[in-house]
Amino acid sequence: MSYDVPRMAGDHEVDVAASTGAGHPLWEIFVRASRGLNHVHVGSLHAPDAETATQHARDVYTRRQEGVSIWVVKSTEIHASDPHDEDAWFDSEKPYRHPTFYEIPDEVGHM
Amino acid sequence: MSDPLLTYLLRLGDDSLILAQRLGELVSHQPDLEEDIAVANLALDLIGQARALYAYAGEVEGRGRTEDDLAFLRDEREFFNAVLCEQPNGDFGQTMARQLLFDAYRLPLMDALTASADETISGVAGKAVKECRYHLQHSITWVVRLGDGTEESHRRMQAGLDAMWRFTDELFTGDEVEATLAASGIAVDPSSLRDPWEATIKEVLARATLERPVDPRQRGGGRQGMHSEHLGHILPEMQFLQRAYPGQSW
């Protein structure tokens, strides 16, 4: 079923790709919550350049004091492992590789 | 003019509130989600500054008016914002031109006010100066990107700058209010902000490949409550609830 949408003078076609920022490259955002911790991937956003991406990330992902540092990386620069390799890469059971037989002193903190 | 300190606080607060209202109009209308959140953040920072300034203004006035009373129960002639702040958003180029011209003025202003002899003002400025520093970075990034972008973005950025330029002299024009308060170290003489503003604008325009406009038709009056035609349209929307249902709250 389709409807005829009445056209008003001044109506114009909306370029959806342009209006959603899809014309801009995608950036992956990493935020460090506090000193001593690693930057952690928090999401992605569209931006025309690295500087704007960093500012957008500040506005989108750190509005509630989530972080003290931001990294942005072009999504196309991320190289990922192949999901098909999951068994071969990650499914080996080698419990002796876990240092579970040691007690970590409290003073060590994050490790 | 009544108490100079009251007038000064309203001038500072009204700049924040009226510009915030303008930026608020853009929420959900920006070209992308990211910029939508960015302008909302700018607006919220400015509203926060306005609230602190109005709360103090009410205290200084001593008639029991709250920050809400000052925001929602004053009419056009009782607002003392610079006319730049009430100018329409236009296209994104004009919005960013207005924002750059304002931010480049507001940052050195707040920076100087952190040393105000009035502890409340220096406290508000201490928080605001960090926000203003980010606001200026944000507008510089856009003005440079659009100015030094495509032919179309350059044309629009220049047009926005040209349209907003005639409202800039007012930012640096003080009267007896600032003069009185500056003498006792409370306020900043607006003319002293011209040099840092010019330096910022010069550098940004060079990077953005934009021409510095020349516009002898400078328009002020806002600081005395004499506004352009636009403020009269902003207030009914901003004050709708109190105008339609006086005393209503939720």
Side-chain angles (χ1 to χ4, degrees):
Chain A
M1 194 186 288
S2 70
Y3 301 93
D4 277 338
V5 179
R7 284 277 169 189
M8 308 291 284
D11 272 8
H12 58 280
E13 295 292 337
V14 174
D15 181 345
V16 175
S19 69
T20 54
H24 293 153
L26 193 64
W27 302 78
E28 300 300 326
I29 311 302
F30 300 80
V31 170
R32 184 166 69 179
S34 67
R35 287 186 193 288
L37 296 183
N38 299 323
H39 285 75
V40 172
H41 185 242
V42 293
S44 56
L45 51 75
H46 290 279
D49 57 29
E51 194 180 357
T52 314
T54 314
Q55 289 181 1
H56 280 337
R58 182 261 185 191
D59 286 324
V60 175
Y61 292 110
T62 68
R63 338 178 45 217
R64 298 177 188 88
Q65 298 180 315
E66 289 93 338
V68 295
S69 167
I70 295 169
W71 287 351
V72 304
V73 179
K74 250 191 189 159
S75 304
T76 51
E77 296 299 320
I78 302 271
H79 298 269
S81 57
D82 188 332
H84 292 118
D85 287 337
E86 191 176 333
D87 285 352
W89 283 33
F90 305 118
D91 205 22
S92 57
E93 271 198 48
K94 298 182 174 67
Y96 51 87
R97 289 185 177 173
H98 291 274
T100 51
F101 311 108
Y102 302 93
E103 297 225 345
I104 299 171
D106 290 343
E107 306 87 72
V108 173
H110 288 293
M111 219 178 130
Chain B
M1 291 269 165
S2 51
D3 183 351
L5 180 55
L6 174 60
T7 306
Y8 189 60
L9 291 168
L10 292 175
R11 286 176 179 177
L12 293 173
D14 292 347
D15 275 3
S16 305
L17 183 67
I18 298 303
L19 184 57
Q21 181 69 15
R22 273 293 188 223
L23 291 169
E25 291 171 12
L26 295 169
V27 173
S28 85
H29 292 277
Q30 287 293 70
D32 54 42
L33 179 68
E34 289 83 353
E35 193 54 30
D36 217 73
I37 296 173
V39 293
N41 278 350
L42 302 183
L44 286 170
D45 285 347
L46 290 169
I47 288 173
Q49 294 172 19
R51 289 189 60 177
L53 291 161
Y54 287 162
Y56 185 40
E59 207 177 293
V60 167
E61 187 187 41
R63 285 171 43 202
R65 286 207 282 182
T66 65
E67 53 199 83
D68 276 356
D69 294 336
L70 289 169
F72 299 124
L73 299 179
R74 279 184 299 152
D75 212 343
E76 195 181 333
R77 294 286 294 271
E78 301 162 284
F79 273 82
F80 302 122
N81 58 283
V83 288
L84 174 69
C85 301
E86 71 206 32
Q87 295 310 306
N89 292 322
D91 62 10
F92 191 67
Q94 180 165 319
T95 299
M96 281 303 126
R98 186 186 62 200
Q99 200 61 37
L100 171 71
L101 298 174
F102 180 78
D103 293 341
Y105 149 80
R106 186 82 168 186
L107 175 58
L109 169 62
M110 284 299 164
D111 204 14
L113 284 179
T114 57
S116 170
D118 183 303
E119 278 183 16
T120 309
I121 292 182
S122 68
V124 171
K127 178 167 184 288
V129 73
K130 291 186 261 180
E131 297 166 342
C132 294
R133 193 161 281 130
Y134 179 73
H135 294 188
L136 181 59
Q137 285 175 359
H138 172 263
S139 35
I140 288 175
T141 307
W142 273 115
V143 170
V144 169
R145 168 144 283 276
L146 295 172
D148 192 19
T150 66
E151 207 176 303
E152 174 74 354
S153 73
H154 178 88
R155 184 186 66 73
R156 283 172 178 256
M157 198 57 245
Q158 184 69 54
L161 199 61
D162 291 348
M164 292 299 106
W165 196 259
R166 57 191 294 242
F167 306 110
T168 51
D169 271 4
E170 184 184 17
L171 300 173
F172 311 105
T173 311
D175 59 16
E176 71 278 9
V177 170
E178 283 89 1
T180 310
L181 296 173
S184 48
I186 293 172
V188 173
D189 174 3
S191 64
S192 69
L193 303 169
R194 182 123 220 170
D195 284 349
W197 184 84
E198 291 282 2
T200 306
I201 298 298
K202 188 179 176 193
E203 191 204 320
V204 174
L205 296 193
R207 282 176 58 202
T209 71
L210 293 164
E211 294 288 324
R212 187 184 194 282
V214 177
D215 199 338
R217 306 167 301 151
Q218 288 292 320
R219 167 76 162 83
R223 296 285 185 231
Q224 288 73 40
M226 305 293 286
H227 292 277
S228 63
E229 68 270 32
H230 303 295
L231 187 64
H233 294 277
I234 294 175
L235 296 184
E237 185 172 311
M238 186 177 84
Q239 300 177 332
F240 167 79
L241 191 81
Q242 288 305 321
R243 288 176 182 230
Y245 307 100
Q248 186 64 269
S249 65
W250 71 66

